[in-house]
Amino acid sequence: MNAVLPQGQNVYGFDWSADGNLLFSDLIRLMRIGIDQSVPTPLVGDSSAAILELAGCGTRYLVFSWAFHGGTNSTNVWRTNADGTNPVKLTDGKDDRAPVCSADGKWTYYWDNALQQLWRVPVDGSGKPELFPGSAVPRTFPTGTGLSPSPDGKVLAYVLATMPTPEDPYPQYKVALLEPSSKPAPPRLIDADERISNGGLNFTPDGKAVAYPIRENGVDNLWVQPLDGSRGRQITYFDSEQILNFRWSPDGRSLCILRSHIDSDVVLIRESSQ
């Protein structure tokens, strides 16, 4: 296990590029760095805006959520070429977040947080955004911003929580498995571990399971949940910090994890007698 980015580097979101480099946002800029390099290369940015979640989109494009760009009060999904050139605005909602691309590179899926709905838009900008058919599940709401297409492109996974009721005031968490190519139909739901945290959701490289963080005593580790209903298992054993996000490399051989902690101090301030 090795640290990839320089000590003290601010990282808000990240993903792998198709060629095995890392893409990340320091909030203001989107940058690229090789896993064997120490100096990142800026690709696109705006000092008065914020680049939030991002994703590689095949070999041609990058997609990301860009807040306040162009003097707006909204967060929208943008697309650029793989080198950061030719930025194109794809959505026009108030709070469009967590874009990911379909396996064939034709669609970008994202959360419309203002409406709490799953939407999609053509990556090439040839069509308008639309509500993802069949994605809504009655008496549930999305939790976190994780979206993950399966390696074969047949399934899109995300996490839902059940609506609390007087009889059952504690939500239950479900992994939703939606088939984008099928006729509009509700996703299949499988139970998530009750310790699930909000640090993302991703298919494993073989497509047979999903992984997500679980939290115990304030510490996050990754949990793998098979889709066939068999028992899940823990695959990391950290003894500190929380997981903000994680991604497997395109070849499935490496796993990059974004972890964080909060430092705090107690300060005593005395009133001066003068």
PDB file of all heavy atoms in Angstrom, residues 210-232:
ATOM      1  N   VAL A 210     -20.753  -6.028  -5.266  1.00  0.00           N
ATOM      2  CA  VAL A 210     -20.526  -4.601  -5.082  1.00  0.00           C
ATOM      3  C   VAL A 210     -19.749  -4.417  -3.783  1.00  0.00           C
ATOM      4  O   VAL A 210     -19.812  -5.255  -2.875  1.00  0.00           O
ATOM      5  CB  VAL A 210     -21.850  -3.800  -5.031  1.00  0.00           C
ATOM      6  CG1 VAL A 210     -22.518  -3.789  -6.387  1.00  0.00           C
ATOM      7  CG2 VAL A 210     -22.793  -4.334  -3.955  1.00  0.00           C
ATOM      8  N   ALA A 211     -19.015  -3.327  -3.712  1.00  0.00           N
ATOM      9  CA  ALA A 211     -18.242  -3.020  -2.509  1.00  0.00           C
ATOM     10  C   ALA A 211     -18.640  -1.643  -2.007  1.00  0.00           C
ATOM     11  O   ALA A 211     -18.976  -0.751  -2.795  1.00  0.00           O
ATOM     12  CB  ALA A 211     -16.748  -3.063  -2.804  1.00  0.00           C
ATOM     13  N   TYR A 212     -18.601  -1.476  -0.691  1.00  0.00           N
ATOM     14  CA  TYR A 212     -18.906  -0.189  -0.067  1.00  0.00           C
ATOM     15  C   TYR A 212     -18.255  -0.153   1.311  1.00  0.00           C
ATOM     16  O   TYR A 212     -17.916  -1.205   1.878  1.00  0.00           O
ATOM     17  CB  TYR A 212     -20.418   0.029   0.032  1.00  0.00           C
ATOM     18  CG  TYR A 212     -21.204  -1.126   0.626  1.00  0.00           C
ATOM     19  CD1 TYR A 212     -21.284  -1.325   2.008  1.00  0.00           C
ATOM     20  CD2 TYR A 212     -21.895  -2.018  -0.203  1.00  0.00           C
ATOM     21  CE1 TYR A 212     -22.003  -2.376   2.543  1.00  0.00           C
ATOM     22  CE2 TYR A 212     -22.620  -3.065   0.326  1.00  0.00           C
ATOM     23  CZ  TYR A 212     -22.678  -3.252   1.703  1.00  0.00           C
ATOM     24  OH  TYR A 212     -23.390  -4.296   2.223  1.00  0.00           O
ATOM     25  N   PRO A 213     -18.064   1.041   1.862  1.00  0.00           N
ATOM     26  CA  PRO A 213     -17.461   1.120   3.199  1.00  0.00           C
ATOM     27  C   PRO A 213     -18.469   0.769   4.292  1.00  0.00           C
ATOM     28  O   PRO A 213     -19.667   1.068   4.177  1.00  0.00           O
ATOM     29  CB  PRO A 213     -17.024   2.589   3.324  1.00  0.00           C
ATOM     30  CG  PRO A 213     -17.095   3.149   1.940  1.00  0.00           C
ATOM     31  CD  PRO A 213     -18.165   2.372   1.256  1.00  0.00           C
ATOM     32  N   ILE A 214     -17.968   0.157   5.330  1.00  0.00           N
ATOM     33  CA  ILE A 214     -18.733  -0.029   6.563  1.00  0.00           C
ATOM     34  C   ILE A 214     -17.981   0.680   7.685  1.00  0.00           C
ATOM     35  O   ILE A 214     -16.757   0.825   7.628  1.00  0.00           O
ATOM     36  CB  ILE A 214     -18.928  -1.520   6.912  1.00  0.00           C
ATOM     37  CG1 ILE A 214     -17.573  -2.241   7.001  1.00  0.00           C
ATOM     38  CG2 ILE A 214     -19.825  -2.197   5.878  1.00  0.00           C
ATOM     39  CD1 ILE A 214     -17.667  -3.666   7.518  1.00  0.00           C
ATOM     40  N   ARG A 215     -18.713   1.122   8.703  1.00  0.00           N
ATOM     41  CA  ARG A 215     -18.094   1.899   9.772  1.00  0.00           C
ATOM     42  C   ARG A 215     -18.344   1.242  11.121  1.00  0.00           C
ATOM     43  O   ARG A 215     -19.481   0.937  11.473  1.00  0.00           O
ATOM     44  CB  ARG A 215     -18.628   3.333   9.791  1.00  0.00           C
ATOM     45  CG  ARG A 215     -17.975   4.236  10.840  1.00  0.00           C
ATOM     46  CD  ARG A 215     -18.318   5.695  10.606  1.00  0.00           C
ATOM     47  NE  ARG A 215     -17.803   6.141   9.309  1.00  0.00           N
ATOM     48  CZ  ARG A 215     -18.033   7.343   8.794  1.00  0.00           C
ATOM     49  NH1 ARG A 215     -18.778   8.218   9.459  1.00  0.00           N
ATOM     50  NH2 ARG A 215     -17.512   7.662   7.616  1.00  0.00           N
ATOM     51  N   GLU A 216     -17.259   1.021  11.859  1.00  0.00           N
ATOM     52  CA  GLU A 216     -17.330   0.501  13.221  1.00  0.00           C
ATOM     53  C   GLU A 216     -16.402   1.312  14.107  1.00  0.00           C
ATOM     54  O   GLU A 216     -15.223   1.484  13.769  1.00  0.00           O
ATOM     55  CB  GLU A 216     -16.931  -0.979  13.262  1.00  0.00           C
ATOM     56  CG  GLU A 216     -17.979  -1.907  12.685  1.00  0.00           C
ATOM     57  CD  GLU A 216     -17.655  -3.368  12.983  1.00  0.00           C
ATOM     58  OE1 GLU A 216     -16.642  -3.859  12.480  1.00  0.00           O
ATOM     59  OE2 GLU A 216     -18.424  -3.991  13.738  1.00  0.00           O
ATOM     60  N   ASN A 217     -16.951   1.828  15.182  1.00  0.00           N
ATOM     61  CA  ASN A 217     -16.175   2.631  16.134  1.00  0.00           C
ATOM     62  C   ASN A 217     -15.458   3.790  15.435  1.00  0.00           C
ATOM     63  O   ASN A 217     -14.302   4.112  15.767  1.00  0.00           O
ATOM     64  CB  ASN A 217     -15.165   1.751  16.882  1.00  0.00           C
ATOM     65  CG  ASN A 217     -15.831   0.638  17.663  1.00  0.00           C
ATOM     66  OD1 ASN A 217     -16.862   0.855  18.310  1.00  0.00           O
ATOM     67  ND2 ASN A 217     -15.256  -0.551  17.620  1.00  0.00           N
ATOM     68  N   GLY A 218     -16.132   4.398  14.472  1.00  0.00           N
ATOM     69  CA  GLY A 218     -15.578   5.554  13.789  1.00  0.00           C
ATOM     70  C   GLY A 218     -14.552   5.257  12.721  1.00  0.00           C
ATOM     71  O   GLY A 218     -13.965   6.177  12.155  1.00  0.00           O
ATOM     72  N   VAL A 219     -14.336   3.964  12.407  1.00  0.00           N
ATOM     73  CA  VAL A 219     -13.325   3.561  11.423  1.00  0.00           C
ATOM     74  C   VAL A 219     -14.011   2.868  10.250  1.00  0.00           C
ATOM     75  O   VAL A 219     -14.879   2.012  10.441  1.00  0.00           O
ATOM     76  CB  VAL A 219     -12.279   2.612  12.043  1.00  0.00           C
ATOM     77  CG1 VAL A 219     -11.271   2.167  10.993  1.00  0.00           C
ATOM     78  CG2 VAL A 219     -11.582   3.290  13.213  1.00  0.00           C
ATOM     79  N   ASP A 220     -13.613   3.239   9.026  1.00  0.00           N
ATOM     80  CA  ASP A 220     -14.194   2.649   7.818  1.00  0.00           C
ATOM     81  C   ASP A 220     -13.292   1.586   7.225  1.00  0.00           C
ATOM     82  O   ASP A 220     -12.066   1.741   7.179  1.00  0.00           O
ATOM     83  CB  ASP A 220     -14.427   3.725   6.756  1.00  0.00           C
ATOM     84  CG  ASP A 220     -15.618   4.614   7.051  1.00  0.00           C
ATOM     85  OD1 ASP A 220     -16.245   4.428   8.115  1.00  0.00           O
ATOM     86  OD2 ASP A 220     -15.918   5.499   6.234  1.00  0.00           O
ATOM     87  N   ASN A 221     -13.930   0.520   6.743  1.00  0.00           N
ATOM     88  CA  ASN A 221     -13.264  -0.505   5.948  1.00  0.00           C
ATOM     89  C   ASN A 221     -14.189  -0.924   4.821  1.00  0.00           C
ATOM     90  O   ASN A 221     -15.396  -0.648   4.852  1.00  0.00           O
ATOM     91  CB  ASN A 221     -12.890  -1.710   6.808  1.00  0.00           C
ATOM     92  CG  ASN A 221     -11.591  -1.498   7.561  1.00  0.00           C
ATOM     93  OD1 ASN A 221     -10.516  -1.514   6.979  1.00  0.00           O
ATOM     94  ND2 ASN A 221     -11.693  -1.266   8.867  1.00  0.00           N
ATOM     95  N   LEU A 222     -13.619  -1.571   3.806  1.00  0.00           N
ATOM     96  CA  LEU A 222     -14.422  -1.960   2.651  1.00  0.00           C
ATOM     97  C   LEU A 222     -15.050  -3.332   2.855  1.00  0.00           C
ATOM     98  O   LEU A 222     -14.413  -4.267   3.337  1.00  0.00           O
ATOM     99  CB  LEU A 222     -13.571  -1.969   1.383  1.00  0.00           C
ATOM    100  CG  LEU A 222     -13.128  -0.602   0.859  1.00  0.00           C
ATOM    101  CD1 LEU A 222     -12.327  -0.772  -0.424  1.00  0.00           C
ATOM    102  CD2 LEU A 222     -14.319   0.320   0.622  1.00  0.00           C
ATOM    103  N   TRP A 223     -16.306  -3.417   2.441  1.00  0.00           N
ATOM    104  CA  TRP A 223     -17.106  -4.631   2.544  1.00  0.00           C
ATOM    105  C   TRP A 223     -17.548  -5.038   1.146  1.00  0.00           C
ATOM    106  O   TRP A 223     -17.994  -4.192   0.361  1.00  0.00           O
ATOM    107  CB  TRP A 223     -18.320  -4.353   3.410  1.00  0.00           C
ATOM    108  CG  TRP A 223     -19.222  -5.516   3.687  1.00  0.00           C
ATOM    109  CD1 TRP A 223     -20.372  -5.842   3.028  1.00  0.00           C
ATOM    110  CD2 TRP A 223     -19.069  -6.500   4.712  1.00  0.00           C
ATOM    111  NE1 TRP A 223     -20.943  -6.967   3.579  1.00  0.00           N
ATOM    112  CE2 TRP A 223     -20.162  -7.391   4.620  1.00  0.00           C
ATOM    113  CE3 TRP A 223     -18.104  -6.716   5.699  1.00  0.00           C
ATOM    114  CZ2 TRP A 223     -20.330  -8.474   5.477  1.00  0.00           C
ATOM    115  CZ3 TRP A 223     -18.263  -7.805   6.561  1.00  0.00           C
ATOM    116  CH2 TRP A 223     -19.358  -8.666   6.446  1.00  0.00           C
ATOM    117  N   VAL A 224     -17.399  -6.301   0.805  1.00  0.00           N
ATOM    118  CA  VAL A 224     -17.806  -6.817  -0.497  1.00  0.00           C
ATOM    119  C   VAL A 224     -19.088  -7.620  -0.328  1.00  0.00           C
ATOM    120  O   VAL A 224     -19.152  -8.553   0.482  1.00  0.00           O
ATOM    121  CB  VAL A 224     -16.699  -7.686  -1.125  1.00  0.00           C
ATOM    122  CG1 VAL A 224     -17.224  -8.439  -2.338  1.00  0.00           C
ATOM    123  CG2 VAL A 224     -15.516  -6.809  -1.531  1.00  0.00           C
ATOM    124  N   GLN A 225     -20.120  -7.242  -1.095  1.00  0.00           N
ATOM    125  CA  GLN A 225     -21.452  -7.856  -1.008  1.00  0.00           C
ATOM    126  C   GLN A 225     -21.750  -8.597  -2.312  1.00  0.00           C
ATOM    127  O   GLN A 225     -22.021  -7.972  -3.349  1.00  0.00           O
ATOM    128  CB  GLN A 225     -22.507  -6.769  -0.796  1.00  0.00           C
ATOM    129  CG  GLN A 225     -23.930  -7.271  -0.663  1.00  0.00           C
ATOM    130  CD  GLN A 225     -24.230  -7.741   0.747  1.00  0.00           C
ATOM    131  OE1 GLN A 225     -23.798  -7.123   1.711  1.00  0.00           O
ATOM    132  NE2 GLN A 225     -24.957  -8.833   0.846  1.00  0.00           N
ATOM    133  N   PRO A 226     -21.700  -9.948  -2.322  1.00  0.00           N
ATOM    134  CA  PRO A 226     -22.001 -10.696  -3.553  1.00  0.00           C
ATOM    135  C   PRO A 226     -23.447 -10.473  -4.002  1.00  0.00           C
ATOM    136  O   PRO A 226     -24.359 -10.304  -3.187  1.00  0.00           O
ATOM    137  CB  PRO A 226     -21.772 -12.157  -3.141  1.00  0.00           C
ATOM    138  CG  PRO A 226     -20.847 -12.075  -1.959  1.00  0.00           C
ATOM    139  CD  PRO A 226     -21.246 -10.823  -1.235  1.00  0.00           C
ATOM    140  N   LEU A 227     -23.666 -10.475  -5.319  1.00  0.00           N
ATOM    141  CA  LEU A 227     -25.000 -10.255  -5.860  1.00  0.00           C
ATOM    142  C   LEU A 227     -25.875 -11.500  -5.796  1.00  0.00           C
ATOM    143  O   LEU A 227     -27.093 -11.405  -5.983  1.00  0.00           O
ATOM    144  CB  LEU A 227     -24.893  -9.786  -7.318  1.00  0.00           C
ATOM    145  CG  LEU A 227     -24.060  -8.525  -7.576  1.00  0.00           C
ATOM    146  CD1 LEU A 227     -24.154  -8.119  -9.031  1.00  0.00           C
ATOM    147  CD2 LEU A 227     -24.492  -7.379  -6.670  1.00  0.00           C
ATOM    148  N   ASP A 228     -25.267 -12.667  -5.550  1.00  0.00           N
ATOM    149  CA  ASP A 228     -26.049 -13.903  -5.509  1.00  0.00           C
ATOM    150  C   ASP A 228     -26.674 -14.169  -4.152  1.00  0.00           C
ATOM    151  O   ASP A 228     -27.293 -15.218  -3.935  1.00  0.00           O
ATOM    152  CB  ASP A 228     -25.183 -15.090  -5.928  1.00  0.00           C
ATOM    153  CG  ASP A 228     -23.992 -15.322  -4.991  1.00  0.00           C
ATOM    154  OD1 ASP A 228     -23.892 -14.635  -3.951  1.00  0.00           O
ATOM    155  OD2 ASP A 228     -23.144 -16.195  -5.318  1.00  0.00           O
ATOM    156  N   GLY A 229     -26.513 -13.231  -3.208  1.00  0.00           N
ATOM    157  CA  GLY A 229     -27.125 -13.382  -1.888  1.00  0.00           C
ATOM    158  C   GLY A 229     -26.251 -14.084  -0.878  1.00  0.00           C
ATOM    159  O   GLY A 229     -26.648 -14.223   0.292  1.00  0.00           O
ATOM    160  N   SER A 230     -25.072 -14.542  -1.262  1.00  0.00           N
ATOM    161  CA  SER A 230     -24.177 -15.190  -0.307  1.00  0.00           C
ATOM    162  C   SER A 230     -23.589 -14.154   0.646  1.00  0.00           C
ATOM    163  O   SER A 230     -23.692 -12.953   0.442  1.00  0.00           O
ATOM    164  CB  SER A 230     -23.066 -15.952  -1.039  1.00  0.00           C
ATOM    165  OG  SER A 230     -22.323 -15.089  -1.879  1.00  0.00           O
ATOM    166  N   ARG A 231     -22.955 -14.627   1.695  1.00  0.00           N
ATOM    167  CA  ARG A 231     -22.480 -13.768   2.764  1.00  0.00           C
ATOM    168  C   ARG A 231     -21.380 -12.812   2.280  1.00  0.00           C
ATOM    169  O   ARG A 231     -20.489 -13.200   1.527  1.00  0.00           O
ATOM    170  CB  ARG A 231     -21.949 -14.624   3.922  1.00  0.00           C
ATOM    171  CG  ARG A 231     -21.479 -13.816   5.121  1.00  0.00           C
ATOM    172  CD  ARG A 231     -21.059 -14.739   6.258  1.00  0.00           C
ATOM    173  NE  ARG A 231     -20.515 -13.995   7.368  1.00  0.00           N
ATOM    174  CZ  ARG A 231     -21.233 -13.376   8.285  1.00  0.00           C
ATOM    175  NH1 ARG A 231     -22.561 -13.408   8.207  1.00  0.00           N
ATOM    176  NH2 ARG A 231     -20.668 -12.719   9.270  1.00  0.00           N
ATOM    177  N   GLY A 232     -21.449 -11.560   2.733  1.00  0.00           N
ATOM    178  CA  GLY A 232     -20.421 -10.586   2.406  1.00  0.00           C
ATOM    179  C   GLY A 232     -19.171 -10.771   3.251  1.00  0.00           C
ATOM    180  O   GLY A 232     -19.154 -11.556   4.204  1.00  0.00           O
TER     181      GLY A 232
END
